[in-house]
Structures are given as structure tokens and as C-alpha cells.
């Protein structure tokens, strides 16, 4: 299908996001966890906040407690935004985009002609925060714990980054060729694999000493990476504190601020107050209705289109959601366009596609289920559907700053009009993540912030066998075959066409009701300089400073 005039290909992703960053006044700087192309970086002043007139502490609000500070054990943005400053990967993204640059590796990998072998040269002379040596054996240890049969069910991103043996994709082996060379062999060619190695989840390299010290099957208790900041303290439910790594290997890009404090503030109005009272320097997930409070108070609003999707999922494994006709009828009962405008106003756009508009193969003409309450009522009556069990979250998310409660109530109202009662149970985000694995539901609310700028990262959600990411529990062999084909196909029109088929299948078989693509909304103290909220949903803080 031909792209619409508003659709932008993945190959323009860097250009678009780079321009947006410039409009916010960001200085693009090179360096691990930052990047931004090959531009030369500023000379850092070191981790003591020693530069004249700079504060030694920056405080950032989280909407929920991190799930873990071990990249193997989390799949949430709160954990990632903290951990990406502690750990680094072999590769990194650009400062403002998803271009892939070397980090702990010296260069992009040498890839065999068949696309199966990745030979990676490593930087020398780097140590982890706990003193362990960074070398090929450390890389091998870090990756192998995430491969079958070593990984466990509490490692939600392991299969997403490194693949599944049963699916005959992903990593087959990791070899330490010598102290500075690693060879990763795949079972099948994977176009997004290099992008996966730059992700903030599962991919970062963790100290082998910290891995060995961890209780079997549990996250690392004392985080140790190679990054610009070191772990100091985690007071559960309250805050995480990091301090600048004075021995950071990338001396030209040493952190500019000594202390980073991440405060857990779950309630939106309290986050606003913390910004206005100078208790937090940056607050995340701003409610669209609170924007004027920030700007009228003399603070800055960071607002850019996010790499996100906000959706309602059906449980397709048990209950009424196993019936595709019922899923379609429920979707017909919901006026999504009206709902998006009511809740988000100008700070989100109606989702006609799983993927954001700048990511090929976005196409606004993918035919989503149209609002038709009369048809919905007839089908649901014929099927004998009179009630649904719904679970949702109360915590603001980057793809849904309002939280899921308002969505649930509006959909409850739409379905009441067609004769279906919806029972809603609400949880804070941390509890919700667990309840999705343990409690029955017919519908739930969820969303996604893209991790690597590749369409596979969105479309593969519905092929994953890990229910923490595939909350629809949807398993379709035809769809999985398309995903496998997309993984193995080089970037270009042929690959785009495969993912467009995936989009059309999702629209037809209806495991999700697509809702919106959000803007990333954050409140920022004007004294904070060079802050940028990366499109992958994290913040690399080493270049960020604050005037005293």
C-alpha cells in the first residue's frame, strides 16, 4: 500500500528527531549513552560539578518505583531511565535518535555474508564500578545468562533481545575469541539485532562479579556497570540515588553533575507541585490538563511526538476474548476518535497504526474497526455477552499520561450503551504488572514505548510468548511466520511490505484496539541545560547540567 503524504519512512527517523532536538535547544554531544552522530563533544568538567556556577545535584521524578536495577529483570521505563546511566552496552543510540553507534565496542560489528556471525572488537582498559575487568569473557557472561536454558521467566526482555530457541531465531552462541574480541552467532539472520544490542533493557553489559554475587534467580542487588554514574542507594518506593563515576572511561564526556536523585512520585498533581516548589528539576508524564500550570509557573515544557502506542488488549487465551467476532463487536462499540480527543486533546493523535507515523511501514489507511454501536449490540446480544472483566492501571505512563482509569471508564460507558456491563479493577503500576500475570481479565490497558526505532520492536509484541509483553496472549502461526520473515529481510521496501501485512492482520484479527500515539510531556526547570528525553523513553544524564 502506498504511504500517505503524512507518513515518514524509518530512514528519515534520524533527520526528524535531530531537528526536533535542535528546536528544544539541545546541544548534540557524542559519547556512550549519548551520541548524536559523529559530532565532537564538549569537554566535560568532571563528576564533581566543579564547573563554575553549576549545581551538584539534579532531581528527576519517576511515576512508579523501578521494578529492578538489573537490565535482565525489568521491562519498565522507570527501571530503564535509572539503569541506562549505570550500565552501557556494546552499542548505543544517537543522542536524539535511534542511529546505532559504538560504545563499549570500538566499531560496528563485522557481519558474515550469511548474516549469522557478528564479530565485535572491544575497548580496552575499562573497569566495571565494582573493579571487575571489562573484556570478552565479561560480555560472554552477561549475554549467556539471558540465553536458553540459563534465563528464567522473570527476565522479560531476554527473548525480545536475544531470540527464542523454539522459534529458531536469535543467539545460538557467544564466544570470547580473545580478550578483546567477541563472536556472536545467530540461528537466523536478524536485521534488527544490531539495534537490539543498543537497547537499555537486557542488552547492557553487567559486571560478572555482580552476576556471580546475585542470589540464583534474583536480580543483582548491587548494580555495577561501566556507565557514567554509580549506584549509591535505592529506598524502595521513595528514591534512587546515583553518583558520578570519577573513573569513567570516556573522559571527554565525563558527567557534568555529581549526584542524580530519582524520586518516586506516583500522583500527578504532587509531581507538578514538586516542580513548582523546586523540589524536582524534571518531572515525567505530565498530564495534558496540567500543561498551563507548568508554563505559567515559568517552567519549560518538553513536548515531542513519542515513539509510542497506547492500546486496549483482549485476553485471547481464555474467556470471551477467544472469539474474534466478539473482539470485533466490542471494538465497534468504542468511539476511539471521540475518546482520544476527550482525554488527550492536542497532546495525542488517533492511532491508525501500531507504529508511530515516522516509522515505515506506517500507513494511515490500514483499516481499523469502525465505530458502529448498532452492529456491536446485535453481535454481542447474539453471542450472549452481557459482562466483561477489565483490569487497568492508575499510574501515568509515557504513552498515557492520564493513566488507564479514565480510558476504562469511558469504554465502560460505550459498552453500557450496547448492553454490556464492564467491571473495572484498578491497580498502581507496580501491582498491575504482577496482576496481569495472575488475575483473570477479558480486557486490559497497556502501551509501548519503542526501544530501538525498528518496526519489529512494535510488531513482535504480538508474537512473543512472554505474557508480560504480549498481554493479549495472542498466538497466531501465520503472524509469527511474517515476523520471522521480517526479521530476516534487509531494510527496504520488501521488509516494509511484510510489516504492513502484520499491521493489516492485527487490524483484522483484533487482539488490540488501537487508541493513540502520545506526545512525551515533561516539565523542566529552566536552569537545567542540555536535557533531552530520548525517543526510546530514557534520559542519558551525563551531558545534563543545572545552573546553581
Amino acid at each position: 500500500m502506498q504511504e500517505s503524504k503524512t507518513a515518514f519512512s524509518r530512514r528519515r527517523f534520524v533527520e526528524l528527531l535531530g531537528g526536533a532536538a535542535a528546536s528544544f535547544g539541545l546541544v548534540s554531544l557524542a559519547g556512550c549513552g549519548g551520541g548524536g552522530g559523529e559530532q565532537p563533544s564538549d569537554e566535560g568538567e568532571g563528576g564533581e560539578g566543579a564547573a563554575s556556577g553549576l549545581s551538584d545535584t539534579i532531581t528527576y521524578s519517576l511515576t512508579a518505583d523501578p521494578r529492578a536495577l538489573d537490565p535482565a529483570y525489568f521491562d519498565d521505563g522507570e527501571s530503564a531511565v535509572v539503569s541506562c546511566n549505570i550500565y552501557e552496552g556494546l552499542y548505543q543510540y544517537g543522542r536524539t535518535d535511534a542511529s546505532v553507534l559504538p560504545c563499549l565496542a570500538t566499531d560496528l560489528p563485522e557481519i558474515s555474508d550469511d548474516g549469522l556471525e557478528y564479530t565485535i572488537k572491544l575497548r580496552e582498559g575499562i573497569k566495571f564500578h565494582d573493579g571487575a575487568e571489562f573484556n570478552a569473557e565479561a560480555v560472554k557472561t552477561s549475554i549467556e545468562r539471558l540465553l536458553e536454558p540459563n534465563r528464567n521467566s522473570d527476565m522479560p526482555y531476554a527473548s525480545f533481545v536475544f531470540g527464542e530457541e523454539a522459534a529458531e531465531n536469535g543467539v545460538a552462541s557467544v564466544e570470547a575469541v580473545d580478550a578483546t574480541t567477541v563472536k556472536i552467532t545467530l540461528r537466523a539472520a536478524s536485521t534488527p539485532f544490531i539495534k537490539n544490542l543498543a537497547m537499555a533493557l537486557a542488552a547492557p553489559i553487567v559486571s560478572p562479579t555482580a552476576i556471580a554475587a546475585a542470589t540464583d534467580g534474583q536480580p543483582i542487588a548491587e548494580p555495577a556497570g561501566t556507565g557514567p554514574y554509580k549506584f549509591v542507594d535505592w529506598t524502595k518506593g521513595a528514591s534512587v540515588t546515583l553518583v558520578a563515576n570519577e573513573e569513567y572511561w570516556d573522559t571527554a564526556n565525563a558527567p557534568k553533575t555529581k549526584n542524580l536523585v530519582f524520586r518516586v512520585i506516583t500522583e500527578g498533581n504532587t509531581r507538578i507541585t514538586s516542580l513548582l516548589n523546586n523540589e524536582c528539576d524534571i518531572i515525567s508524564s505530565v498530564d495534558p490538563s496540567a500543561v498551563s500550570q507548568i508554563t505559567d509557573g515559568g517552567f519549560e515544557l518538553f513536548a515531542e511526538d513519542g515513539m509510542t502506542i497506547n492500546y486496549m488488549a483482549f485476553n485471547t487465551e481464555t474467556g470471551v476474548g477467544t472469539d474474534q467476532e466478539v473482539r470485533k463487536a466490542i471494538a465497534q462499540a468504542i468511539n476511539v476518535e471521540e475518546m482520544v480527543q476527550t482525554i488527550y486533546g492536542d497532546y495525542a493523535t488517533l492511532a491508525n497504526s501500531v507504529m508511530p507515523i515516522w516509522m515505515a511501514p506506517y500507513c494511515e489507511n490500514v483499516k481499523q474497526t469502525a465505530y458502529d454501536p448498532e452492529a456491536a449490540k446485535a453481535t454481542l446480544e447474539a453471542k450472549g455477552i452481557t459482562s466483561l472483566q477489565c483490569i487497568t492501571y492508575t499510574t501515568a505512563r509515557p504513552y498515557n499520561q492520564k493513566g488507564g482509569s479514565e480510558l476504562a471508564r469511558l469504554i465502560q460507558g460505550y459498552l453500557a450503551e450496547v448492553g454490556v456491563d464492564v467491571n473495572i479493577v484498578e491497580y498502581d503500576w507496580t501491582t498491575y504488572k504482577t496482576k496481569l500475570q495472575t488475575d483473570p481479565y477479558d480486557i486490559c490497558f497497556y502501551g509501548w514505548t519503542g526501544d530501538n526505532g525498528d518496526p519489529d520492536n512494535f510488531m513482535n509484541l504480538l508474537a512473543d510468548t512472554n505474557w508480560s509483553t504480549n498481554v493479549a496472549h495472542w498466538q497466531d502461526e501465520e503472524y509469527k511466520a511474517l515476523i520471522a520473515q521480517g526479521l530476516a529481510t534487509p531494510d527496504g521496501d520488501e521488509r516494509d511490505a511484510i510489516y504492513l501485512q502484520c499491521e493489516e492482520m492485527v487490524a483484522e484479527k483484533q487482539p488490540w484496539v488501537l487508541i493513540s500515539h502520545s506526545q512525551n510531556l515533561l516539565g523542566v526547570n529552566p536552569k537545567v541545560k542540555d536535557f533531552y528525553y530520548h525517543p526510546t523513553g530514557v534520559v542519558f544524564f551525563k551531558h545534563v547540567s543545572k545552573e546553581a
Side-chain angles (χ1 to χ4, degrees), residues 77 82 95 97 123 137 141 154 160 165 180 248 282 340 360 416 446 463 499:
V82 176
R95 180 84 166 97
D97 57 55
R123 296 186 189 273
E137 284 294 338
T141 299
D154 292 325
F160 214 60
E165 186 174 352
T180 60
Y248 184 49
I282 306 160
V340 170
Y446 216 62
Y499 286 110

Side-chain angles (χ1 to χ4, degrees), residues 56-60 62 66 69 82 85-86 223 229-236 238-244 258-264:
D56 67 356
T57 302
I58 289 177
T59 303
Y60 180 98
L62 302 173
L69 295 181
V82 176
N85 294 285
I86 300 172
Y229 285 91
K230 299 190 295 185
F231 173 76
V232 175
D233 174 73
W234 180 8
T235 302
K236 297 291 181 72
S239 65
V240 181
T241 302
L242 309 182
V243 66
K258 181 177 181 180
N259 305 303
L260 289 181
V261 178
F262 297 88
R263 289 185 58 197
V264 179

Side-chain angles (χ1 to χ4, degrees), residues 14 38 90-94 97-103 108-109 192-198 452:
V14 174
E38 299 297 329
L90 298 174
Y91 299 98
Q92 62 176 326
Y93 299 126
D97 57 55
S99 58
V100 178
L101 304 170
C103 186
L108 295 179
F193 183 65
I194 181 65
K195 300 175 189 177
N196 289 355
L197 291 180
N452 64 4

Side-chain angles (χ1 to χ4, degrees), residues 244-277:
N245 178 10
E246 295 180 355
E247 300 178 351
Y248 184 49
W249 63 271
D250 188 4
T251 55
N253 293 288
K256 294 184 175 182
T257 304
K258 181 177 181 180
N259 305 303
L260 289 181
V261 178
F262 297 88
R263 289 185 58 197
V264 179
I265 306 176
T266 60
E267 205 278 318
N269 288 332
T270 306
R271 287 196 299 277
I272 296 289
T273 301
S274 73
L275 179 71
L276 299 180
N277 290 345

Side-chain angles (χ1 to χ4, degrees), residues 265-411:
I265 306 176
T266 60
E267 205 278 318
N269 288 332
T270 306
R271 287 196 299 277
I272 296 289
T273 301
S274 73
L275 179 71
L276 299 180
N277 290 345
N278 294 306
E279 296 164 355
C280 282
D281 300 304
I282 306 160
I283 62 170
S284 56
S285 298
V286 171
D287 188 318
S289 65
V291 165
S292 61
Q293 286 181 262
I294 291 173
T295 55
D296 290 349
F299 292 82
E300 295 176 349
L301 179 73
F302 182 97
E304 285 191 7
D305 287 339
M307 190 162 63
T308 64
I309 181 64
N310 177 27
Y311 61 85
M312 185 185 87
F314 294 97
N315 184 344
T316 65
E317 185 179 30
T318 61
V320 301
T322 60
D323 187 331
Q324 181 178 324
E325 290 184 45
V326 170
R327 299 197 299 266
K328 297 291 282 189
I330 292 171
Q332 285 177 316
I334 302 169
N335 189 336
V336 179
E337 184 172 7
E338 179 183 72
M339 185 167 62
V340 170
Q341 185 58 42
T342 299
I343 297 177
Y344 309 109
D346 295 333
Y347 293 102
T349 57
L350 178 69
N352 289 309
S353 165
V354 174
M355 291 179 285
I357 62 172
W358 58 67
M359 189 181 295
Y362 170 83
C363 177
E364 70 176 10
N365 296 321
V366 174
K367 189 176 181 181
Q368 303 297 333
T369 301
Y371 177 55
D372 189 345
E374 291 184 4
K377 186 173 183 177
T379 299
L380 294 169
E381 283 182 350
K383 293 281 186 176
I385 306 300
T386 59
S387 65
L388 296 174
Q389 181 66 28
C390 168
I391 62 173
T392 192
Y393 55 92
T394 58
T395 310
R397 310 305 302 151
Y399 45 78
N400 179 19
Q401 296 93 344
K402 289 280 194 179
S405 298
E406 194 165 348
L407 279 174
R409 286 193 292 270
L410 281 178
I411 285 175

